[in-house]
Amino acid sequence: MTGDIVIAKRGDQLVGTGLIAGDADAKALLADVVGADGLRAVDAGGLKRARELEAMAFLQISLAAGEKISWTGGFGVVS
């Protein structure tokens, strides 16, 4: 299942906290965007961390697409 199909079919189940990483300007802009949609942005670090978060997201999507976990399952941030 490609990302576009996943979002189209399961987008309503993918609601919660957004982790963001990157340079300061990009993080500030993205935090404003996700905050406007009711998400809580958590600064996870720089660009190296962004690559790691993308890998975690791909793992979660792959497991859900393979019906090994639910679409509402995944990784969480507790603060």
Side-chain angles (χ1 to χ4, degrees):
M1 212 180 268
T2 67
D4 292 341
I5 294 170
V6 168
I7 297 300
K9 287 187 174 184
R10 308 287 184 168
D12 59 329
Q13 297 174 6
L14 304 174
V15 177
T17 298
L19 291 171
I20 58 173
D23 68 31
D25 292 336
K27 288 189 284 190
L29 176 64
L30 187 55
D32 289 343
V33 170
V34 298
D37 284 337
L39 296 175
R40 181 176 59 100
V42 176
D43 185 346
L47 289 175
K48 180 179 181 196
R49 187 70 60 216
R51 289 183 199 94
E52 295 163 350
L53 292 172
E54 288 171 353
M56 287 177 57
F58 182 75
L59 173 62
Q60 180 181 355
I61 291 167
S62 296
L63 290 171
E67 299 182 356
K68 293 180 173 51
I69 63 170
S70 73
W71 284 99
T72 57
F75 307 100
V77 175
V78 179
S79 60

